[in-house]
Amino acid sequence: MRTYHFFWILFWVSHPYQSSSTPLSKRTSGFPENPKVLDLSRNNRNVLNRAKRSWMWNQFFLLEEYTGSDYQYVGKLHSDQDKGDGSLKYILSGDGAGDLFIINENTGDIQATRRLDREEKPVYILRAQAINKRTGRPVEPESEFVIKIHDINDNEPLFTKDIYNASVPEMSDVGTFVVQVTATDADDPTYGNSARVVYSILQGQPYFSVESESGIIKTALLNMDRENREQYQVVIQAKDMGGQMGGLSGTTTVNITLTDVNDNPPRFPQSAYQFKVPESAPLDSAVGRIKASDADVGQNAEMEYSIIEGDGLEMFGVITDKETQEGIVTVKKALDFEKKRQFTLKVEASNPHVDPRFLYLGPFKDTTTVRIQVEDVDEPPVFSRPAYILEVKEDVQINAVIGTVTARDPDSAKNPIKYSVDRHTDMDRIFNIDSGNGSIFTSKLLDRETLLWHNITVIASEINNPKESSRVPVFIKVLDVNDNAPEFPMFYETYVCENARAEQLIQTLSAVDRDDAFGGHKFSFSLAPEVASGSNFTLQDNRDNTAGIYTRRTRYSRHEMNMYLLPVVISDNEYPIQSSTETVTIRVCACDQRGKMLSCNAEALIHPTGLSTGALIAILLCIIILLVTVVLFAALRRQRKKEPLIISKEDIRDNIVSYNDEGGGEEDTQAFDIGTLRNPEAIEDNKLRRDIVPEALFMPRRTPVVRDNTDVRDFISQRLKENDTDPTAPPYDSLATYAYEGNGSVAESLSSLESVTTDGDQDYDYLSDWGPRFKKLADMYGGTDSDKDS
């Protein structure tokens, strides 16, 4: 509270707190009989003795929710300076002054203009001042006072939520906490019981209860089972005035769900299951599904299935589908209808998550019997082995049996089987098979050195149902037979010096054999019998699969014999013995003193003529030059004989060659492609030689039109042949018309001269003005006079 001066305070009221002591149900109307007055009298010295007191202050109390038609009287202000003569004026300021609270400026009476709500504003602070009407000056300092609104029970309790959702495990003990609800009352909790709330349950008994003071909801019934009822709706009431009669109340709804616990063991709905499965069912394939029912949900309803006994423990298994909680019976091993046709299994279902509190309800597992009947299927033949390995010697005769494969029909019908060779694995058809008994035999000769292993596939199929077939690989190894003679690993060509000494080693020989030798090859070398006695060389077998060639005499001469061919016989020690005759070439060469070869050419053959190699080359060059000279001379003479008459030195002979052709335009991309030119209209019938005067006139020969799309080479060859046989065309520049034009040309004629096919006369007199170089041309084309002069 704020004041401008410190005063002693004196409360003088006829009936203190009358407004607040009025019953709550009673409304104040008009002015009360004993109004509340703030007054301080100087004459009242029996109550308080002081030097001066100009103002008396007090606190006003006012009930909320006034419903009267008149203004509600609040209290009265009075100054000890007021003589009652109307000279003073009271002024009110502060919270709601002039609007909510008004004061009679003459009497100091304060009134409230409208109904007040404590919950909206519980306290109003105002300031009062007494002013002299005549001077307008205050006679008392401004002072504050308080108007406090007394509460009435006009607000019902309100819950913090309109709807509560809660859960509690099923089978819970009595008094298990569920949820706590809370309600608030906007009334004044410090004044009376208006804000004192008490909770009670209106709906939900006898399953739940609520504590009246705290609002805690608890279970009230033992062994509530979720499987019987899962959802409960409880209505809670909150009432003020401590629950007394006349108090206001509010309600809320609490939805309570019982959560699941594992209090139900699994149970099979059937004591036995019957399934059928074909014997051809693949491994891990499903035979059937079984399911044990469990009233619980979620984790508490999870299952584990297992086969605990039966005659099919090794043949079948069971797995759990985690989504459907079903047990899936699967095939673990291949089934055979002919061996066993029915199996019996005992399958157990159990909960992996067990609550020890409910073990007394019984074992949380159950068993059922599963009977599986195997159905017969037409199966393909079965070979006695997964693969066959056969061995055969390479010298085996054609159609000889090298082995047998066998297959049987596993079905009870025992259908007959036929055999065949997959020709994709035997493209050369080297082997065949007896379709009835499976005997494999050769159809061609074998060669181990060409191919050691043959990998083929044999097919066995039922005669009655060829679609039922099986395959088996057959690996055939070709065994070696000594059928290859040893031979030189390379072509031996050596030399012997003319100055060689006797018994001198000139070459070491070795041999190879394509046959196998398990104990190692052993070769023997010898000279062929026909040369063994009279040979100029000897052969020594080193007994280590090598042999050496030695000289038999001291000197050799290239003039007598420049090359020797020495036949050598090589034999092996296998059975049957194989041998071959190989030839060693020995050249006689000139060597230095150290035996290094200098030359092996047979120069002795040309020595008697006295000419060396250089001389022979020189003679050959001279002959060639002489021949070239003769050819050139003959060509020059022939040219002089055919050359036309030249009038003067200044005359230049220009040979006009009119091809009268045109390129193929932009599409003619082949340089000098005469074959793409064709213009049948350019053929001229009456064309004579223009460079010389012909001795005789011949009938013009019309050139046949060349057909379309003629090859260029054929076209040119044909034109050359025609001109070569033409008697009117000497070997000078002559007119040759290649009247051929490509089909794709879209260009017009680009020639600056008129076409040679024009029959009309042309004026060539202008050629005489071009100088002496064009005189001959002017005479040839200038007209009749010019022709006569020439």
Side-chain angles (χ1 to χ4, degrees), residues 176 257 271 393 413 441 573 684 736 769:
T176 302
T257 302
S271 60
K393 290 186 178 182
F441 55 91
N573 281 336
E684 188 172 352
D769 300 332

Side-chain angles (χ1 to χ4, degrees), residues 461-513:
S461 57
E462 296 181 6
I463 296 178
N464 299 333
N465 187 9
K467 294 182 178 180
E468 295 296 333
S469 62
S470 300
R471 295 169 175 262
V472 68
V474 179
F475 306 102
I476 304 172
K477 182 180 182 182
V478 181
L479 301 179
D480 185 44
V481 174
N482 191 24
D483 58 346
N484 291 280
E487 57 189 1
F488 285 153
M490 67 185 73
F491 175 70
Y492 284 107
E493 184 176 6
T494 185
Y495 69 93
V496 62
C497 295
E498 288 183 307
N499 56 357
R501 300 184 306 274
E503 302 298 328
Q504 181 180 346
L505 177 66
I506 63 173
Q507 181 67 47
T508 300
L509 307 176
S510 63
V512 294
D513 194 337

